[in-house]
Amino acid sequence: MINYNKVTTMQINQLTITNFGIYYGRNEFVFGNKKERANIILIGGENGTGKTTFLSAIKLALYGPLFLGYKSVNAKYIDFIKDKINIYSRAEGNKMAGVEMDFTLYNNGELENYYIIRQWELTKETVKEHLQISRNGISLTDNQIEEFYHFLRRNLPPSLFDFLFFDGERVQQYVLDSQFEQNVKEAFMTLFNLDLFDTLKEDLLKYLKQDNIFTSLTQEQKEYTQIEYDLRNQENVIRNLEKRIAELKEQAKDVQVKIQELEREFSNKGGMIARERETLNEQVFLMEQEKKQITEKIKETAAELLPFLITQKLLQQTVTQIDAEERVERYNTLKEELNNETLPLLFKELSCHFRITDLDGKEATSSFAEAMKEKLFQSMKPVGVNFDRFQFIHRMNSEQKQAIRDLFKQVRHFDGKLVDEWFARIQHLTDEIYTVKKRIEHSLTDESLKDIVNKLNEHTRLHEQIKYEIEANTAKLFEAQKFYQELMTKKEKVQKRIRQARKDENIFELCQKLSRVLSRYQEEQVKKYLGTVERYFLQMFNSLMRKGQFLNSFRIDPQTFEITMLNYSNKPIFKHSLSAGETQLFFLSLLWALLKASKRQVPFVLDTLFGRLDRTHKENLIQKYLPVVANQVIILSTDTEVDEYYYNRMKPYIQREFSLHYDRNSNRVHIENHYFFQKVGI
Amino acid sequence: MQFRLKTSKETMDILKQLQSSTNLTPNVLARLAIALSLLSKEPIESFESDTNGLEFNRNTLTGEYDFVYKALIAQHLGRPVADDEYFPFLIKKHLDRGAKCLENEYKYAGNYEKFIKGLANFELEMIR
């Protein structure tokens, strides 16, 4: 049978962690007793000293596989546990690990003391879980354990536990999440036991379906009940599909963003590399071209000009000889011409007009002519040529002479140092080409690019998968909605028929009425309790806020649980416009309001509480919030977050304090029974 | 008119060896050898060698500068040279004699670059 009682108060008395997570060996936390006025348990620890593991241990002790959302021990849960068993104890061959928790439940005024031992035995391949629960010192049977779990799931489900767990680092994200309103609603319904009415309605339907009742119904009623039942199922199906599709769309969006990022990164990096490589290849090509040209030039010079460079002196002598030969030849030609034709003719013509005599007056034309020729030829003789020993060697034609003179000019103007420069240039180019080629090679083996491509492929595949799943689910949803509409139409028809039959007094009609009444009652209750929550919230929030009368009104919609806030001038305020610190205060106030209105007392865990808050807000929290928020408040903190000043302010409300230290030598967590700043012995 | 000549066996070996280490063709190497031989004052006419080596075609050996080589050889001798005396007779002597000089030059330089650089600045160095 389902136990509809609710947990009004829960308090943890002791927690033991053995060989679990960072905790090596047996580690005990003993908390205070309920009679003490102070309610804070302060646990200090640097990062990585086991604060998170502490929290997991509580949840795990309490819920076991339900911690991961499973109803019984399965492979995934075993893997999870196996992963968490302390590696040093495992290395030493220690086979046992576990968590133990001593806690008290005040259940409708009844005090019940529970002791849970959850042990894991490590065998070669797997882990075996041993569970032992005792109530008031008496061990529970398997059936009773089952019942206890049923009771826990209903009254303090892990989702509620998670809701009551406050993580300062993540609270803003949590509040702004689209699921937030739904989470508040679920927590609210559980805290105020209003979800029981849903259960009741379901039970009524089940009851109607029971054979003995079912058969007493008329055909129409049977049909109606069946339709009602199907409709409920179908509603569930539709809701689940819608939820799944929304989730998938979120995922797809994330993956899409990631893909875009990767693509951008790829085109930035890859594009740059491709461009760079192109430029480098072009550089290499140009340099190789130039090198080839110079090499060719050297070969050409070696073939054409070099032999004459070597024989430059001889070539010069040759040119000089050719010049001399030319002049001698010209002289000889001219002399011959004058001697044989021009001069005799000239004298012959002149003798008609002139008389040439010697100093004695005698006719001397022919001897004058001889003497003049002698003088003339003498003056015409080329300078620098030894006529007696002159020998023609070359006797070149004028084209050859011109060509050899041109060649000589070329040789004379050629500077041998030019060749040195060519080779130096080749060496330089060779070095450059080598360097640039190395760079190209390097850019080709760019690992990060490969990495991006791999990731991109992976994400694209994932995106395709999600898209496919969305399509499949959308199709299913469409079918489900169609079916739902058909059922609705059918239901209306059957309802009409039933009304006509006016069978008012049977069980069926009673159940129908009851169901309607319950729904209305549930709505009324929600409104009523929400009103209380709203009032408490406003009170706490405004007292915590430095800005004084910050909010004028706070409303939670009873249907959607959407939150509306108005400031002192009745202008709306949206939760996303609150700062990080204000969001924390908002959430803390909401938690408190929910707990206070529901009159429940459950352990309250606050992690990184002060991270984002300024001095005034911290002071307000310590003075006005922590003392009243719950019977048991567990604060996880580093020494910078709750420093000596705040520690002293908090001191009056502290029931127990611990600090965790991780010793790298022994690989142990040392639990000291005082916070960082408390002097031992005082 | 003669258009072919055959070098000595030794010249062939030298040219082949140098071709492999300098990548220059035998006719280019042959021109350089001739040039080097022309630097020597020793009478060329008395130089003797065999004809068991490489065959050269006049066109590829001296090409458009054929008449210049002839002029240089004549100038070197200090007398006119008839065409058939110049080719193949005198030029072969110069080629075979110069091949050894060329081989020495290469050995002295050690590599292609130094070899070419040395030859390009040869006359300069001689003057200095």
Side-chain angles (χ1 to χ4, degrees), chain A residues 298 306 416 419-420 423-424 427, chain B residues 21-22 24 102 104-122 125:
Chain A
I298 291 172
L306 197 50
V419 177
D420 295 6
F423 276 110
Q427 188 55 51
Chain B
S21 42
T22 62
L24 293 172
L102 195 67
N104 286 338
E105 278 301 319
Y106 186 81
K107 279 181 180 160
Y108 174 74
N111 65 32
Y112 172 68
E113 183 180 338
K114 285 185 187 158
F115 174 63
I116 295 293
K117 278 187 190 171
L119 292 180
N121 295 290
F122 201 84
E125 277 165 31

Side-chain angles (χ1 to χ4, degrees), chain A residues 295 298-299 302-319 321-322 391-394 396 399-401 403-404 407 410 414-417 419-421 423-424 427, chain B residues 22-24 28 31-32 34-36 38-39 41 64-65 67-81 112-124 126-128:
Chain A
T295 310
I298 291 172
K299 279 200 174 155
E304 307 273 327
L305 210 56
L306 197 50
F308 304 120
L309 272 171
I310 294 168
T311 55
Q312 190 174 356
K313 237 168 157 180
L314 191 60
L315 185 63
Q316 185 174 20
Q317 288 164 8
T318 309
V319 171
Q321 172 68 20
I322 290 166
Q391 191 186 8
F392 279 90
I393 299 176
H394 304 296
M396 284 182 186
E399 273 172 24
Q400 288 176 328
K401 279 187 271 191
I404 208 163
L407 179 65
Q410 225 181 315
F414 186 85
D415 183 357
K417 294 289 163 221
V419 177
D420 295 6
E421 281 166 28
F423 276 110
Q427 188 55 51
Chain B
T22 62
N23 244 344
L24 293 172
V28 173
R31 286 179 209 174
L32 295 172
I34 294 163
L36 285 175
L38 284 168
L39 294 178
K41 297 288 179 232
E64 59 167 317
Y65 292 113
F67 81 97
V68 183
Y69 283 99
K70 188 189 168 193
L72 289 175
I73 286 170
Q75 187 69 39
H76 184 256
L77 276 173
R79 63 170 173 85
V81 168
Y112 172 68
E113 183 180 338
K114 285 185 187 158
F115 174 63
I116 295 293
K117 278 187 190 171
L119 292 180
N121 295 290
F122 201 84
E123 192 66 9
L124 275 171
M126 295 279 286
I127 292 164
R128 266 188 233 123

Side-chain angles (χ1 to χ4, degrees), chain A residues 126 197 252 353 377 408 424 482 538 576 636 670 674:
Chain A
T126 184
F197 296 106
H353 308 288
F377 293 153
F408 180 58
K482 216 168 97 185
L538 216 50
H576 57 76
L636 304 172
H670 290 293
H674 57 83

